[in-house]
Amino acid sequence: MASVHESLYFNPMMTNGVVHANVFGVKDWVTPYKITVLMLLDEMTISTSITLLDRRRLNKLILPLLQSPDMTLSQLIKTVEDSCPQLAYTVHLRLQLMADGELKDMEHFFDMLPSPFNETESEAHKTSVVGLFMRHMVLAYNKLSFSQVYKLYTALQQYYQSYERKDSPAAEPAEDTDMELTNTEELGGKMEKEELDLEPSDDEVSTRGPLSQKQAEYFLAQQAYLLKNDENKALDPAALQKELNNMLKFNPDFAEAHYLSYLNSMRVQDIFNSTDSLLHYFDRLILPGGDSKSNGDEGCGRSLRYAALNLAALHCRFGHYEQAELALQEAIRIAQESNDHVCLQHCLSWLYLLEQMKGSDSTLTEHAVKMAVHFCLPYLASLGIQSLVQQGAVGGKTANKLMDALKDTDLLHWKHSLSELIDISIAQKTAIWRMYGKSTMALQQAQVLLSMNSLEPVNLGVQQNNSEAFAVALCHLSELHAEQGLFAAASEILKHLRERFPPHSQHAKLWMLCDQKIQFDRAMNDGKYHMADSLVVGIAALSKTEGLYRKALVLKAQNQTTEAYKVLQRLLLYCEKIKGTEMTIRVMLSLAELHWSSSCHAVALPLLLRSLAVSREYHLQYLASECILHLAFSQLMLGIPEQALNILHMAIEPILAHGALLDKGRAMLLVAKCQIVTASSEPSKQQKTQALEVAVQNLEEAGTYFTKVDCKERVRDIYYLQARLYHSLGKTAERNKCAMLFRQHNQELPSQGVPLITRL
C-alpha cells in the first residue's frame, strides 16, 4: 500500500518551483562557450536564409543556452543542429576561422558585434534577454587586461581543438591553462589553475571555472525539478556531485548547492554525505540572515527548528528511529519556543509516523488532522486522513466507509490543486480494492492514475507522476497481468518501471520485489523449485515476511514437511505480533496444506475455520473464498463431497470474477473432483453419465486456465483425469488422445511423489 508520508519532507530550497540561490559576487565573465553563443546570436541577426520555422526553434533555444552551464562545443553544435543544421555549420566555420587565426580576429569580432544600445542597428534591444547578455559580455571583455585577453584566446583555441580531437581516442589531452576571469578582485584575487579547469566531457556538463549567478540558479532549478519528477533525465549521481563540488569550491557558502547535494546523496542511500550536506545547508542558511532572534519567523530560530525536523526525517527514512526521535524532540522544543504552529504540525505528523514504524498504536493522527484543519494546512490534513484510511483498511473497516473518507479528501485535493496527493489517494484506492479481493476495481483505479493529467505545469519535457504512488500503481498492474497469464505485458510494465525508477532510487524496491515475486510464481508453476529457491534470497532481502513465506512454499513443494512447518510456525507468530492479517491467513492456509500431505484432514479444519473467521472479520472477500475452497477440499477428503460441492458455490463466483488464473483452475478442478465422486452415488446410469460429462467440461476449463499460466504439472493431472473419465464414458478416441498428452507431459516432468488426490 502506498506510503502517505513521503511528502512530509520539508524542502526549503523550493518555493513555487523557484530556487533561491545566493547572490554571487561575480555576475558574468567571458568564456569560449559564451563567445560561441555570441557568434550564434550574431548569425541569427545577419542571416536572411533562416526559415520561419527554424527561427522559432532557435528562439526557443536561446534562453536555455544563455542560462545553462557551459557546454562542450560538440554538445552545443549538436543542440543547434537539431534546430537549424545550416546555422550550426556556419557557427562552426566562424569559430574555426577564429581559432586558426590570430588574436586580432577575436578583437575584431567584439568590435563588430551589433550594439544593443542602438535600436536601429540591432534586433537585440538593450533591455531584452539577448541584449542584456550581449552588454554583459562586451563590458566583461572590455575590462580584461592584455594578459587576460591572451589567455582567453588560448582557452578558445583549446575549446575548439578539444572538439576536433574527439574522434581520436589516442590523442593526448590538451594542456591546462589558468585563464583569469572577470572581476577577479571580487573573487578574492587570482585563482589557481587547477581551480578553474574541469576536464570537459561530451557525456556530462562541462564548465570552465565557477558558474555565474544565473547559471547556478538555472542548473539547480533544473536538476531539482528533474530529481523530483523524472530522475532518469537528471545527471547521474556521480556527475551531479562533481558539478556541485565544483560549484561549492568557488562558493562554499552556497546553501542551495548543499541542499541539492543532500538530495543527490539520498538517491544512492548515502547516509554520511546526505547528513553532512543537510547540516551544511542549514549552517549556510543561517549565515547570511543577519537576524539572530530565536523567536522570529525568519533567521536563526527558523533555520534551527527546520534543520532538526529535516534531520529527523532523514534518520526516519534510514530506519534510525532513536536518533529521529531525539532530533524531533529538539525541533518540537525550538518550535514551541518560537510559537511556530506550522512546524509543530509537521513534527506531530512525523511523531505519529515514528510511533507507527515502531509498531505501537497511536491516537496522534486524529489530533493531527484536527489541528491541521484548525491552522488551515490542507496538505497535512489530507495526509492525516489518508493515514486514518490506511489504518482502517488494516483494522478491518468496511470498504464503503474508507471510500467515503477518500472521497472527502479528493474534494480537498481538487479544491487546493494538490496534485501529488491526488495520485496518492488513487494509489490508496488501488491497494484497498486489491486487498479486499476486487481485482477489477483495482485495475480500474490503476488505469485512472496512469491516464490522469497532472495539475502541475510540464517543464523540461517532464510529466508529473514519477512518485511512489505511480510506482505502486504500476506494480499492481504488473502483478494483475501476471496473475492472468499475461507475462509479456507484465514484463513490459516492469521494464518501464526499471527505466523510470533506476535501481538506486528510493522507490526501486517496489518493482524489485514485484519482479522477484512474479519470477518466483512462474518458477513454482513450472515445477522449477531449484530456481524458485534461488529467488527466495532476493525476496527476503526486500521483505522479510515475503521471504519466509516463499521459503516455506518451496520446502513444502519439495516435500520437506518438517522444515516447512517450522518456518510457517515462526512466520505465523511474527505476523500475529505485527498484525499482518493477510499474511497470517495465507500462512494458516499453507499449514492446512501441510496437514493434508500427512493425511490429517481433520487437524486442518480448525486452522481453516479460524482463517475463514479472520477473513470475514476483516472483510477480505477473496481470501475468504480461498478459505472456503480449502474447506471444501478437506470435506471432500473426509468423505462428504455433497457438502463440499454445496459450499463451493459460495466461493466459486468471487474467484471466477476476480481471481488469478491459477486459483480459477484450482477451483474448477475441485468442482470436477466433487462431481466425479458424487456421480458414483447417482441412482441411474444416465444421471451418472451426465454428471461425468459436466465434470469433463469443468476439467477442460481448468486445463485452459493452467495452460495460460504454464502450470505443466497441473495440466498433466488434468489429462490423467480426463483420460480416466473418457474411459468410463466409453469414448476411446478422446481417451487415447488425453492418455498420449499425459504421457508426453509425464516424460518431460519429474515425478514429485505427490498423489493427485491429496492436493488442491
Side-chain angles (χ1 to χ4, degrees), residues 40 56-66 79-80 83:
L40 173 65
R56 286 177 179 173
R57 285 197 291 258
L58 288 169
N59 288 338
K60 292 173 64 177
L61 186 64
I62 288 175
L63 190 59
L65 290 179
L66 299 184
T79 303
V80 179
S83 300

Side-chain angles (χ1 to χ4, degrees), residues 221-234 454 456-467 500:
Q222 180 191 53
Q223 294 301 316
Y225 182 85
L226 291 175
L227 284 182
K228 178 186 176 186
N229 296 291
D230 194 350
E231 195 173 315
N232 285 332
K233 292 188 178 180
S454 172
E456 296 187 5
V458 179
N459 297 322
L460 306 171
V462 176
Q463 292 284 352
Q464 180 66 18
N465 290 344
N466 252 32
S467 58
R500 183 160 287 208

Side-chain angles (χ1 to χ4, degrees), residues 202-269:
D202 291 342
D203 298 326
E204 61 182 354
V205 179
S206 177
T207 58
R208 290 282 182 180
L211 302 179
S212 66
Q213 176 189 349
K214 291 180 180 179
Q215 286 179 322
E217 290 177 350
Y218 181 79
F219 177 77
L220 292 179
Q222 180 191 53
Q223 294 301 316
Y225 182 85
L226 291 175
L227 284 182
K228 178 186 176 186
N229 296 291
D230 194 350
E231 195 173 315
N232 285 332
K233 292 188 178 180
L235 290 178
D236 62 83
L240 179 56
Q241 195 61 45
K242 183 177 180 181
E243 290 299 328
L244 292 172
N245 290 340
N246 179 64
M247 192 181 300
L248 292 170
K249 184 192 302 182
F250 298 103
N251 190 354
D253 293 332
F254 192 14
E256 283 70 20
H258 285 290
Y259 196 84
L260 189 59
S261 176
Y262 154 70
L263 295 178
N264 190 45
S265 299
M266 291 293 292
R267 295 167 70 188
V268 293
Q269 307 297 310

